[in-house]
Amino acid sequence: MKTAASKSTAKLTQDQRILHVLNRLGFGARPGDVERVKAIGVDKYIEQQLSPDKIDDAASEAKLQNLETLRMPTAELYEKYPQPGQLLKQLQKRNDLPADLAVARDNRVKGGANAAGAKTAKTGDAVSSEMQTSTDPNAKPSNPAADQNPLNNPQYRQAIMAYFKENNLRPAQFLTGELQMSRILRAVYSERQLQEVMVDFWTNHFNVYAAKGADRWLLTSYDRDTIRPHTLGKFYDLLLADAQSPAMLFYLDNFQSVSPNAQPPQQRPGAARGPLANLRMSNNPQQQRPQQQQQRRGINENYARELMELHTLGVDG
């Protein structure tokens, strides 16, 4: 006796069946795809998609040639796409900070976007600055955070941009931009359609937030070295690779996990520090805590909770 599903499948024409497969295993049919699948057969096409390494994808790779960040190691990404604040600190530490950039840094809060509205009342004034602002219907609300943001200072931005241009550096925002472009290009042009669908699926399953500190620099390797090699393999292997990836270690704070009795490692005198030594990790609360509080640190359970609730068992077990 035929089931409802088998009856529904039996009603599909050959072209409809091919379109169904192209939609389920990939991002839809492109011009000529139906004819190509028809020539080799649906079963053969599915077999090919399950072995992406055997598929010639030269056309897709050619589209990615200009996206140079996809091939760079993380250390090189940080060197060529630095965070401005950390770049200034490193230049100053090496006594290489240009004079004009030093002046822009020292004055970076002056002239901020809302600095003009941040005037305080003179001594003896009967009305506070807050009340003065409230009586002006055209006055913009004060935003202390924006006032203190160096990037709201045009002179500071111009000095940073000039230094980047002179030294062949680019803003870190290019990293996520090129990664996003690569995903779109592969979805459109890659012959390894099933692999791209699974990359999208697993990237969403093992989500990492690009705007969290160091992850902006770590996501390129995460996509290239963690997700892609395991898209059609064993789940255990992908889970382990994800747990050990720098991007996930940082995103879910597992890099902070230490034994409560552990002693911090001592750096050898004269030991060279890598290019990632000063990588901004502003989301690491350990860096802002007093010494006595840091001594009470221990196991961080954030990743363990996500591992159980989202990555594997689910909230209902």
Side-chain angles (χ1 to χ4, degrees):
M1 181 177 179
K2 292 185 177 181
T3 64
S6 63
K7 290 180 180 179
S8 176
T9 303
K11 294 179 181 179
L12 295 178
T13 66
Q14 183 183 23
D15 285 358
Q16 289 174 332
R17 185 165 177 251
I18 291 173
L19 284 172
H20 178 72
V21 170
L22 290 172
N23 287 332
R24 294 301 299 271
L25 270 66
F27 290 98
R30 301 164 300 183
D33 278 353
V34 172
E35 290 73 21
R36 282 191 288 270
V37 175
K38 187 182 295 184
I40 64 174
V42 169
D43 292 343
K44 182 64 175 179
Y45 175 76
I46 294 175
E47 182 182 345
Q48 289 179 350
Q49 290 298 308
L50 290 171
S51 301
D53 292 341
K54 298 179 181 179
I55 299 176
D56 181 9
D57 209 27
S60 172
E61 293 302 317
K63 298 288 184 181
L64 304 175
Q65 284 303 307
N66 291 331
L67 305 181
E68 61 177 9
T69 61
L70 301 183
R71 299 177 292 277
M72 291 183 180
T74 302
E76 187 176 1
L77 292 177
Y78 184 64
E79 290 176 347
K80 294 186 176 181
Y81 297 80
Q83 195 271 343
Q86 292 299 318
L87 174 64
L88 294 179
K89 291 180 181 179
Q90 292 184 28
L91 291 173
Q92 184 177 22
K93 191 173 183 179
R94 300 198 303 259
N95 294 321
D96 290 335
L97 186 63
D100 58 340
L101 200 54
V103 172
R105 179 205 59 189
D106 295 339
N107 297 326
R108 62 187 181 275
V109 176
K110 299 178 181 179
N114 298 312
K119 297 177 181 178
T120 57
K122 295 181 180 179
T123 304
D125 282 354
V127 184
S128 68
S129 59
E130 290 82 0
M131 293 180 65
Q132 289 177 0
T133 302
S134 64
T135 58
D136 183 357
N138 298 319
K140 295 182 179 179
S142 177
N143 186 346
D147 294 340
Q148 299 297 320
N149 185 353
L151 294 181
N152 286 339
N153 184 311
Q155 289 75 25
Y156 178 75
R157 288 201 310 270
Q158 291 172 6
I160 288 290
M161 291 172 62
Y163 183 87
F164 270 48
K165 186 175 181 180
E166 292 170 4
N167 293 274
N168 197 28
L169 303 176
R170 305 188 79 179
Q173 289 83 347
F174 276 83
L175 301 178
T176 49
E178 289 203 353
L179 188 57
Q180 290 168 349
M181 283 190 284
S182 73
R183 297 284 294 278
I184 295 173
L185 288 171
R186 281 176 163 138
V188 174
Y189 294 103
S190 178
E191 298 299 331
R192 302 168 180 174
Q193 284 286 290
L194 179 58
Q195 182 181 42
E196 293 308 314
V197 168
M198 296 309 297
V199 166
D200 185 67
F201 175 83
W202 289 124
T203 301
N204 279 283
H205 184 77
F206 295 105
N207 176 62
V208 170
Y209 184 42
K212 181 177 179 179
D215 273 323
R216 186 185 299 275
W217 290 268
L218 300 174
L219 273 179
T220 299
S221 173
Y222 186 63
D223 176 86
R224 180 188 63 220
D225 305 323
T226 301
I227 300 295
R228 290 187 173 277
H230 299 93
T231 50
L232 295 172
K234 296 180 179 178
F235 178 73
Y236 174 84
D237 295 336
L238 173 57
L239 184 67
L240 181 61
D242 185 79
Q244 296 173 341
S245 68
M248 186 60 72
L249 285 168
F250 182 80
Y251 176 53
L252 291 180
D253 308 315
N254 212 30
F255 75 102
Q256 296 179 13
S257 284
V258 294
S259 167
N261 300 320
Q263 297 297 320
Q266 300 296 322
Q267 185 175 354
R268 299 189 309 274
R273 303 186 72 192
L276 296 181
N278 293 319
L279 190 60
R280 181 186 180 191
M281 293 188 176
S282 58
N283 295 281
N284 180 4
Q286 298 288 353
Q287 294 181 347
Q288 287 82 34
R289 292 177 182 173
Q291 183 66 28
Q292 62 271 22
Q293 292 185 18
Q294 291 191 31
Q295 292 176 355
R296 293 198 297 268
R297 63 183 180 176
I299 302 301
N300 186 293
E301 299 179 355
N302 194 18
Y303 174 73
R305 181 173 58 252
E306 299 297 296
L307 174 67
M308 302 298 286
E309 293 183 358
L310 297 179
H311 296 171
T312 56
L313 296 179
V315 292
D316 297 324

